[in-house]
Coordinates of all heavy atoms in Angstrom, one line a residue:
I1 N 180.1 50.1 230.6 CA 179.2 48.9 230.8 C 177.8 49.5 230.9 O 177.5 50.4 231.8 CB 179.6 48.1 232.0 CG1 181.0 47.7 231.8 CG2 178.6 46.9 232.1 CD1 181.5 46.9 233.0
V2 N 176.8 49.1 230.0 CA 175.5 49.6 230.1 C 174.5 48.4 230.3 O 174.8 47.2 230.1 CB 175.2 50.3 228.8 CG1 176.1 51.5 228.5 CG2 175.1 49.4 227.6
N3 N 173.3 48.8 230.8 CA 172.2 47.8 230.9 C 171.3 47.9 229.7 O 170.6 48.8 229.4 CB 171.4 48.3 232.2 CG 170.3 47.2 232.5 OD1 170.4 46.0 232.1 ND2 169.4 47.7 233.3
K4 N 171.5 46.8 228.8 CA 170.8 46.7 227.6 C 169.3 46.5 227.9 O 169.0 45.6 228.7 CB 171.4 45.6 226.8 CG 170.6 45.3 225.5 CD 171.2 44.1 224.8 CE 170.4 43.6 223.6 NZ 169.0 43.2 223.9
V5 N 168.4 47.1 227.1 CA 167.0 46.8 227.2 C 166.6 45.7 226.2 O 167.1 45.8 225.1 CB 166.2 48.1 226.9 CG1 164.7 47.9 226.9 CG2 166.6 49.2 227.9
P6 N 165.8 44.7 226.6 CA 165.3 43.7 225.6 C 164.7 44.5 224.4 O 163.9 45.4 224.6 CB 164.3 42.9 226.4 CG 164.7 43.1 227.9 CD 165.2 44.5 228.0
G7 N 165.0 43.9 223.2 CA 164.6 44.5 222.0 C 165.6 45.3 221.3 O 165.6 45.5 220.1
E8 N 166.6 45.7 222.0 CA 167.8 46.5 221.3 C 168.7 45.5 220.8 O 168.8 44.3 221.2 CB 168.5 47.3 222.4 CG 167.8 48.5 222.9 CD 168.6 49.3 223.9 OE1 169.2 48.7 224.8 OE2 168.6 50.5 223.8
I9 N 169.3 45.9 219.7 CA 170.5 45.1 219.1 C 171.8 45.7 219.5 O 171.9 47.0 219.6 CB 170.4 45.0 217.6 CG1 170.2 46.3 216.9 CG2 169.2 44.0 217.2 CD1 170.2 46.3 215.4
V10 N 172.8 44.9 219.8 CA 174.1 45.4 220.2 C 174.9 46.0 219.0 O 175.5 47.1 219.1 CB 174.9 44.3 220.9 CG1 176.3 44.8 221.2 CG2 174.2 43.9 222.2
Q11 N 174.8 45.3 217.9 CA 175.6 45.7 216.8 C 174.7 45.7 215.5 O 173.7 45.0 215.5 CB 176.8 44.8 216.5 CG 177.8 45.3 215.5 CD 179.0 44.4 215.5 OE1 179.0 43.2 215.8 NE2 180.2 44.9 215.3
G12 N 174.9 46.5 214.5 CA 174.1 46.6 213.3 C 173.8 45.2 212.7 O 174.7 44.3 212.6
D13 N 172.6 45.0 212.1 CA 172.3 43.8 211.4 C 171.4 44.1 210.2 O 171.2 45.3 209.9 CB 171.6 42.7 212.4 CG 170.3 43.2 213.0 OD1 169.7 44.2 212.4 OD2 169.7 42.5 213.8
K14 N 170.8 43.1 209.6 CA 170.1 43.3 208.4 C 168.8 44.0 208.6 O 168.2 44.4 207.6 CB 169.9 41.9 207.7 CG 169.0 40.9 208.6 CD 168.9 39.6 207.9 CE 168.1 38.6 208.7 NZ 168.1 37.3 208.1
T15 N 168.4 44.1 209.9 CA 167.1 44.8 210.1 C 167.2 46.3 209.7 O 166.2 47.1 209.5 CB 166.6 44.7 211.5 OG1 167.6 45.3 212.4 CG2 166.5 43.2 211.9
G16 N 168.5 46.8 209.9 CA 168.7 48.2 209.7 C 168.3 49.1 210.9 O 168.4 50.4 210.8
D17 N 167.9 48.5 212.0 CA 167.6 49.3 213.2 C 168.9 49.7 213.8 O 169.9 49.1 213.7 CB 166.9 48.3 214.2 CG 165.5 47.9 213.7 OD1 165.0 48.6 212.8 OD2 165.0 46.8 214.3
E18 N 168.8 50.9 214.5 CA 170.0 51.5 215.1 C 170.5 50.6 216.3 O 169.6 50.3 217.2 CB 169.7 52.9 215.6 CG 171.0 53.5 216.2 CD 170.7 54.9 216.7 OE1 170.0 55.1 217.7 OE2 171.3 55.9 216.1
P19 N 171.7 50.2 216.3 CA 172.2 49.3 217.3 C 172.5 50.2 218.5 O 172.8 51.4 218.5 CB 173.5 48.6 216.7 CG 173.9 49.7 215.7 CD 172.7 50.4 215.1
L20 N 172.7 49.4 219.7 CA 173.1 50.1 220.9 C 174.5 50.8 220.8 O 174.7 51.8 221.4 CB 173.1 49.0 222.0 CG 173.5 49.5 223.4 CD1 172.5 50.6 223.9 CD2 173.4 48.3 224.4
S21 N 175.4 50.2 220.0 CA 176.8 50.8 219.9 C 176.6 52.2 219.3 O 177.3 53.1 219.7 CB 177.6 49.9 218.9 OG 176.9 49.6 217.7
E22 N 175.7 52.4 218.3 CA 175.5 53.7 217.7 C 174.8 54.7 218.6 O 175.0 55.9 218.7 CB 174.8 53.5 216.4 CG 175.6 52.9 215.3 CD 176.9 53.6 215.0 OE1 176.9 54.9 215.0 OE2 177.9 52.9 214.8
S23 N 173.8 54.1 219.3 CA 173.0 55.0 220.3 C 174.0 55.5 221.4 O 173.9 56.6 221.9 CB 171.9 54.2 221.0 OG 171.0 53.7 220.0
L24 N 174.9 54.6 221.8 CA 175.9 55.0 222.8 C 176.8 56.0 222.3 O 177.2 56.9 223.1 CB 176.6 53.7 223.3 CG 177.6 53.8 224.4 CD1 176.8 54.4 225.7 CD2 178.1 52.4 224.8
K25 N 177.3 55.9 221.1 CA 178.2 56.9 220.5 C 177.5 58.3 220.6 O 178.1 59.3 220.9 CB 178.5 56.6 219.1 CG 179.6 55.5 219.0 CD 179.8 55.3 217.4 CE 180.8 54.0 217.2 NZ 181.0 53.9 215.8
R26 N 176.2 58.3 220.1 CA 175.5 59.6 220.0 C 175.3 60.1 221.4 O 175.4 61.3 221.7 CB 174.1 59.3 219.4 CG 173.4 60.7 219.1 CD 172.1 60.4 218.3 NE 171.1 59.8 219.0 CZ 170.8 58.5 218.9 NH1 171.3 57.8 217.9 NH2 169.8 57.9 219.6
Y27 N 175.0 59.3 222.4 CA 174.7 59.7 223.8 C 176.0 60.4 224.4 O 175.9 61.4 225.0 CB 174.3 58.5 224.7 CG 174.2 58.7 226.1 CD1 173.1 59.4 226.7 CD2 175.3 58.4 227.0 CE1 173.0 59.6 228.0 CE2 175.2 58.6 228.3 CZ 174.1 59.3 228.9 OH 174.0 59.5 230.2
I28 N 177.2 59.6 224.2 CA 178.4 60.2 224.7 C 178.8 61.5 224.0 O 179.2 62.5 224.7 CB 179.5 59.2 224.5 CG1 179.2 57.9 225.6 CG2 180.9 59.7 225.0 CD1 180.2 56.9 225.4
K29 N 178.6 61.6 222.7 CA 178.9 62.8 222.0 C 178.1 64.0 222.5 O 178.7 65.1 222.7 CB 178.6 62.6 220.5 CG 179.1 63.7 219.6 CD 178.8 63.4 218.2 CE 179.3 64.5 217.2 NZ 180.7 64.8 217.3
E30 N 176.8 63.7 222.7 CA 176.0 64.9 223.2 C 176.3 65.2 224.7 O 176.4 66.3 225.1 CB 174.5 64.5 223.1 CG 174.1 64.4 221.7 CD 172.7 63.8 221.4 OE1 172.1 63.4 222.5 OE2 172.2 63.7 220.3
R31 N 176.4 64.1 225.5 CA 176.7 64.3 226.9 C 178.0 65.1 227.2 O 178.0 66.0 228.0 CB 176.7 63.0 227.6 CG 176.9 63.0 229.1 CD 177.3 61.7 229.7 NE 178.6 61.3 229.3 CZ 179.2 60.2 229.6 NH1 178.6 59.3 230.3 NH2 180.4 59.9 229.1
D32 N 179.0 64.7 226.4 CA 180.4 65.3 226.7 C 180.7 66.4 225.7 O 181.8 66.9 225.8 CB 181.4 64.2 226.6 CG 181.2 63.1 227.6 OD1 180.5 63.3 228.6 OD2 181.8 62.0 227.5
A33 N 179.7 66.7 224.9 CA 179.9 67.8 223.8 C 181.2 67.6 223.1 O 182.1 68.5 222.8 CB 179.9 69.2 224.6
K34 N 181.4 66.4 222.6 CA 182.6 66.0 221.8 C 182.5 66.5 220.4 O 181.5 66.3 219.7 CB 182.8 64.5 221.8 CG 183.4 63.9 223.2 CD 183.6 62.5 223.1 CE 184.3 61.9 224.3 NZ 185.7 62.4 224.4
P35 N 183.5 67.3 220.0 CA 183.5 67.8 218.6 C 183.7 66.7 217.5 O 183.3 66.8 216.4 CB 184.6 68.8 218.6 CG 185.5 68.4 219.6 CD 184.7 67.7 220.7
G36 N 184.5 65.7 217.8 CA 184.9 64.7 216.8 C 184.1 63.4 217.0 O 183.1 63.4 217.7
N37 N 184.6 62.3 216.3 CA 183.9 61.1 216.4 C 184.2 60.4 217.8 O 185.2 60.6 218.4 CB 184.4 60.1 215.3 CG 184.0 60.6 213.9 OD1 182.9 61.2 213.8 ND2 184.8 60.3 213.0
V38 N 183.2 59.7 218.2 CA 183.3 58.9 219.5 C 183.6 57.4 219.1 O 183.0 56.8 218.3 CB 182.0 58.9 220.3 CG1 182.1 58.0 221.5 CG2 181.7 60.4 220.7
F39 N 184.6 56.9 219.8 CA 185.0 55.5 219.5 C 184.3 54.5 220.5 O 184.3 54.8 221.7 CB 186.5 55.2 219.7 CG 187.0 53.8 219.5 CD1 187.4 53.4 218.3 CD2 187.0 52.9 220.6 CE1 187.8 52.1 218.0 CE2 187.3 51.6 220.3 CZ 187.7 51.2 219.1
I40 N 183.5 53.6 220.0 CA 182.9 52.5 220.8 C 183.2 51.2 220.1 O 182.8 51.0 218.9 CB 181.3 52.8 220.9 CG1 181.1 54.0 221.8 CG2 180.7 51.5 221.4 CD1 181.5 53.8 223.3
G41 N 183.8 50.3 220.8 CA 184.1 49.0 220.2 C 183.2 48.0 220.8 O 183.1 47.9 222.0
V42 N 182.7 47.1 220.0 CA 181.8 46.0 220.5 C 182.7 44.9 220.8 O 183.4 44.3 220.1 CB 180.8 45.6 219.3 CG1 180.0 44.4 219.8 CG2 179.9 46.8 219.0
V43 N 182.5 44.4 222.1 CA 183.3 43.3 222.6 C 182.6 42.0 222.6 O 183.1 41.0 222.4 CB 183.8 43.7 224.1 CG1 184.6 42.6 224.7 CG2 184.5 45.0 224.1
H44 N 181.3 42.1 222.9 CA 180.5 40.8 222.9 C 179.0 41.3 222.7 O 178.8 42.5 222.5 CB 180.6 40.1 224.3 CG 179.9 40.9 225.4 ND1 178.8 40.4 226.1 CD2 180.3 42.0 225.9 CE1 178.5 41.3 227.1 NE2 179.4 42.3 227.0
R45 N 178.1 40.3 222.5 CA 176.7 40.6 222.1 C 175.8 39.9 223.0 O 176.1 38.9 223.7 CB 176.5 40.2 220.6 CG 177.3 41.0 219.7 CD 177.4 40.3 218.3 NE 178.3 40.9 217.4 CZ 179.6 40.8 217.4 NH1 180.3 40.1 218.3 NH2 180.4 41.4 216.5
L46 N 174.5 40.4 223.0 CA 173.4 39.7 223.6 C 172.4 39.6 222.6 O 172.2 40.4 221.7 CB 172.9 40.4 224.8 CG 173.7 40.6 226.1 CD1 172.9 41.4 227.1 CD2 174.0 39.3 226.6

């Protein structure tokens, strides 16, 4: 559970901006030094 900053999008849209779901994947991959893909499922949106 994260604290979303206004201006971020939760899931990808037509703007092409990086969504929070992808930022979170990258953050966890780097933080935990994960060699493979990180699973993040979008449950709801703001």
Side-chain angles (χ1 to χ4, degrees):
I1 304 176
V2 302
N3 185 21
K4 174 186 171 302
V5 176
E8 290 180 315
I9 53 174
V10 173
Q11 194 172 33
D13 64 10
K14 62 184 179 182
T15 65
D17 295 339
E18 183 179 67
L20 183 55
S21 56
E22 292 300 317
S23 302
L24 188 54
K25 286 180 184 179
R26 189 176 68 253
Y27 172 81
I28 293 174
K29 185 177 179 66
E30 294 173 357
R31 183 196 67 182
D32 299 345
K34 285 184 173 289
N37 293 329
V38 173
F39 180 90
I40 289 293
V42 176
V43 179
H44 67 116
R45 297 162 185 79
L46 292 180

